[in-house]
Amino acid sequence: MSIISRRIVPATAIAGAVMLMASGCVAGENADAAPVEGSDWSASTVTVDWATYNPLSLVIKDQGILEDILGDDVTVEWVQSAGSNKANELLRSGSVDVGSTAGSAALLARANGSPIKVIDIYSQPEWSAIVTGPDSDITSVEDLAGTSVAATKGTDPYFFLLQALETAGLSVDDIEVQNLQHADGRAALDGGSVDAWAGLDPIMAAAEVESGDKLIYRNVDFNTYGFLNATEDFIDNHADLAQAVVDAYEQAREWALENPEETAQLLADAAGIDLDVATTVIEERSNLDVSGVPGDAQLAVLEKIAPVIVDSGDVQGGQDAVDKALSEIIHPDFAEKAVEG
């Protein structure tokens, strides 16, 4: 039997496939690796993402919950996702078997042909808002007309921005969107190269404390759930590993709810932010106390965001593709078993 190797793979290392090849495991082929002889598992490796916007992933990684479930015959590879768009790229390329995104980002990816389904819900957060600098004259969404706004396309903050603009009678054509990854968006705002930023926690919460940035527009209803996604191939051919991952998430949820201070410390360490900031994110904006079973509640939110996604022009097939994605994206089986167990 092989010994568990809890390898942490930085996001920047995904491009370095040569290094993974040298270790005998090519990214994207993990779930297809032959199981160890005599093992009860369908593969010898599973690759899962972790993200600072997904606190439960930090708990699982830190405590080795998934490794404990799988035992010595399966190696767990950990890869960081810097945002929902990056998690979707990792899933589509096969660089991870399971990845965490916002619900809106998962729907967008599915509508554009990525064969992913949501297998668990990890949070119901308020993680997006419109942010300006401490000395900005912008005090409302209406004031964004004619300005430059940083946002990461294909993520909840981007769709939050589009919905916020609609409330003010504006559209994306009324602003200049700078498509920057979340951390770069904050840097651009603080550096004065954009006028506003569609922010994401915990980076956004840190910007409030460290830079004095202001949240000028918040709306919890414009945020979508935290989706844990897997490809159809992984679901069909490695259901045992998918179940193990979801079981680990349910264990992590119970622990995080019972230990909010420790969970905040994990976030502070992973994100490099002050503990007080991390505590605000965990206790006030994350809402981990939500059912892990994806279903009608998530579909209701996605149906609300669907017209925004269609109008954005980011889906090649338009309304038909989005409707098809809505009918196919939910896969509750693993979460139902985990909750029952």
Side-chain angles (χ1 to χ4, degrees), residues 163-176:
Q163 292 176 92
L165 290 170
E166 188 176 8
T167 67
L170 302 174
S171 75
V172 70
D173 295 330
D174 294 309
I175 63 173
E176 178 187 356

Side-chain angles (χ1 to χ4, degrees), residues 61-200:
K61 181 167 71 70
D62 179 74
Q63 296 188 3
I65 295 174
L66 184 55
E67 289 86 349
D68 288 343
I69 292 173
L70 294 172
D72 292 345
D73 291 342
V74 181
T75 298
V76 180
E77 300 278 359
W78 287 98
V79 177
Q80 183 178 7
S81 290
S84 292
N85 61 322
K86 295 301 182 182
N88 276 326
E89 290 173 9
L90 294 170
L91 282 162
R92 189 154 195 160
S93 68
S95 297
V96 298
D97 301 314
V98 180
S100 43
T101 73
S104 59
L107 179 61
L108 175 65
R110 177 84 197 190
N112 277 326
S114 182
I116 62 170
K117 292 190 175 186
V118 53
I119 59 174
D120 192 66
I121 302 299
Y122 60 83
S123 67
Q124 186 186 14
E126 183 194 3
W127 52 17
S128 304
I130 305 301
V131 188
T132 61
D135 301 320
S136 175
D137 293 330
I138 299 172
T139 60
S140 68
V141 177
E142 288 84 356
D143 294 338
L144 293 178
T147 67
S148 176
V149 183
T152 310
K153 288 190 175 182
T155 70
D156 238 26
Y158 177 68
F159 292 115
F160 183 96
L161 171 63
L162 299 188
Q163 292 176 92
L165 290 170
E166 188 176 8
T167 67
L170 302 174
S171 75
V172 70
D173 295 330
D174 294 309
I175 63 173
E176 178 187 356
V177 175
Q178 295 290 331
N179 185 22
L180 300 172
Q181 203 60 46
H182 302 297
D184 297 330
R186 178 197 169 178
L189 177 64
D190 289 349
S193 57
V194 297
D195 301 301
W197 167 47
L200 178 73

Side-chain angles (χ1 to χ4, degrees), residues 118-119 293-295 330-337:
V118 53
I119 59 174
V293 181
I330 300 293
H331 188 91
D333 301 29
F334 303 121
E336 288 173 349
K337 291 179 181 177

